[in-house]
């Protein structure tokens, strides 16, 4: 049942507009063709919008995982007065609906001045950097929570042995703890890439220039003024979703392994 809409989109994308307009979508296709994919690629200017999306998704993903792993290392491997409070603060950020801060964030971004080589507007508005920053802010809480729980399962004896051998705190984090977190980092990378890649809210709010919009907006270019070719839209949607499928299949083993880590603890 879950795959049914996806399979139907694939079937529709392989049919011509003339075929479905005469026989309807719930009919046997007279012929199948890949022309819709070529048209969607060209008309939707997908390479350009792919690039815009990756300019947002890749930096946001890397920085989120890096900062979250640092915070998780601190709250899980060291005891200090506000340890639990700090973790609760990051976790509580996931409870705030993003739509609540749309207006104040937009006004704040208008007041923050940046060089023109970052944004032609002179502020964080209409800049990929602004979208990257808000994704980092909202995704760090979830990643910190997951990583800290996993790091707590790593024996403290490893850290103590490294400390006795003279390893600095950064070396304990970078060369000892982080390599042991590869499965959970792969699982988080898969989830975060999908969430950030598919997001359209913040790009719609914070970016004003249509040429800087992410690939999810490219589907608007496939709509006509007087009619919409749903077969073309289906082909474009599949092309837009393709990178998330590639990431999932590449990291599938690590993703499944990361989800089951700690399931048998205790």
């Amino acid at each position: 049942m879950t795959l049914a809409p996806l399979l139907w989109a694939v079937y529709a994308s392989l049919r011509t507009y003339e075929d479905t307009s005469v026989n309807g979508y719930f009919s046997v296709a007279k012929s199948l063709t890949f022309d819709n994919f070529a048209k969607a690629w060209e008309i939707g200017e997908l390479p350009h919008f792919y690039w815009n999306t990756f300019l947002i998704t890749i930096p946001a993903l890397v920085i989120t995982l890096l900062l979250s792993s640092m915070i998780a290392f601190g709250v899980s491997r060291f005891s200090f007065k506000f340890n639990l409070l700090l973790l609760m603060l990051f976790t509580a950020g996931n409870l705030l609906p993003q739509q609540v801060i749309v207006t104040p964030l937009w006004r704040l971004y208008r007041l923050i001045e940046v060089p023109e080589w970052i944004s032609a507007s002179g502020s964080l508005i209409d800049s990929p950097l602004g979208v990257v920053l808000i994704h980092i802010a909202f995704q760090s809480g979830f990643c910190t929570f997951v990583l800290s729980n996993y790091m707590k399962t790593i024996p403290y004896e490893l850290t103590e042995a490294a400390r006795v051998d003279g390893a600095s705190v950064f070396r304990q984090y970078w060369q000892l703890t982080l390599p042991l977190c590869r499965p959970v980092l792969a699982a988080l990378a898969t989830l975060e890439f999908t969430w950030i890649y598919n997001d359209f809210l913040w790009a719609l709010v914070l970016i004003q220039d249509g040429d800087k919009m992410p690939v999810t907006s490219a589907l608007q270019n496939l709509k006509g003024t007087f009619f919409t070719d749903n077969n073309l839209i289906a082909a474009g949607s599949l092309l837009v979703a393709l990178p998330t499928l590639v990431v999932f299949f590449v990291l599938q083993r690590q993703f499944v392994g990361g989800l089951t880590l700690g399931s048998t603890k205790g």
Side-chain angles (χ1 to χ4, degrees):
M1 293 178 62
T2 303
L3 291 176
L6 177 61
L7 296 176
W8 194 260
V10 174
Y11 177 59
S13 66
L14 296 174
R15 303 181 65 180
T16 63
Y17 176 76
E18 293 74 14
D19 185 10
T20 54
S21 63
V22 173
N23 302 309
Y25 286 94
F26 296 94
S27 61
V28 178
K30 301 297 183 181
S31 61
L32 299 177
T33 177
F34 288 97
D35 291 345
N36 286 325
F37 291 95
K39 291 171 60 178
W41 182 271
E42 181 179 356
I43 297 175
E45 300 179 12
L46 292 186
H48 171 73
F49 289 102
Y50 275 137
W51 175 250
N52 292 344
T53 298
F54 292 140
L55 282 179
I56 296 173
T57 304
I58 302 303
L61 174 63
V62 173
I63 297 174
T64 297
L65 292 180
L66 181 63
L67 295 180
S68 299
S69 62
M70 290 181 176
I71 300 167
F73 177 78
V75 299
S76 63
R77 311 308 287 179
F78 299 96
S79 297
F80 50 92
K81 188 174 182 180
F82 300 104
N83 184 310
L84 182 59
L85 181 62
L86 181 62
L87 179 60
M88 292 176 60
L89 177 64
F90 275 88
T91 306
N94 295 319
L95 304 178
L96 179 68
Q98 299 185 19
Q99 294 81 357
V100 172
I101 67 169
V102 166
T103 300
L105 182 71
W106 190 87
R107 292 183 176 181
L108 178 63
Y109 271 29
R110 292 289 297 176
L111 298 175
I112 299 177
E113 297 182 358
V114 297
E116 291 189 2
W117 62 270
I118 295 179
S119 175
S121 65
S123 67
L124 285 178
I125 292 293
D126 202 26
S127 168
L129 176 61
V131 185
V132 169
L133 292 176
I134 193 61
H135 281 310
I136 294 173
F138 270 102
Q139 302 301 331
S140 295
F142 173 74
C143 293
T144 300
F145 175 76
V146 174
L147 285 168
S148 64
N149 285 333
Y150 176 74
M151 288 182 183
K152 290 178 181 178
T153 65
I154 300 176
Y156 283 94
E157 289 77 10
L158 293 176
T159 305
E160 293 174 355
R163 189 181 300 114
V164 170
D165 290 339
S168 63
V169 172
F170 181 79
R171 190 172 182 182
Q172 295 172 34
Y173 157 75
W174 188 257
Q175 295 185 349
L176 178 64
T177 305
L178 209 58
L180 296 175
C181 295
R182 287 177 182 174
V184 69
L185 285 173
L188 285 174
T190 306
L191 291 173
E192 293 299 324
F193 181 88
T194 303
W195 292 341
I196 298 174
Y197 179 91
N198 289 329
D199 179 77
F200 184 60
L201 170 65
W202 291 117
L204 183 65
V205 172
L206 301 176
I207 295 182
Q208 300 174 341
D209 188 349
D211 288 337
K212 298 179 181 178
M213 294 292 283
V215 72
T216 48
S217 66
L219 298 178
Q220 294 290 336
N221 298 335
L222 302 180
K223 294 184 177 181
T225 305
F226 301 103
F227 78 96
T228 299
D229 186 349
N230 291 317
N231 305 82
L232 187 63
I233 295 291
S237 300
L238 293 174
L239 289 174
V240 168
L242 187 60
T244 59
L245 296 177
V246 171
V247 170
F248 174 77
F249 285 118
V250 170
L251 300 176
Q252 181 180 16
R253 179 178 300 179
Q254 291 83 356
F255 175 73
V256 175
L259 293 179
T260 57
L261 285 173
S263 60
T264 58
K265 180 183 177 183

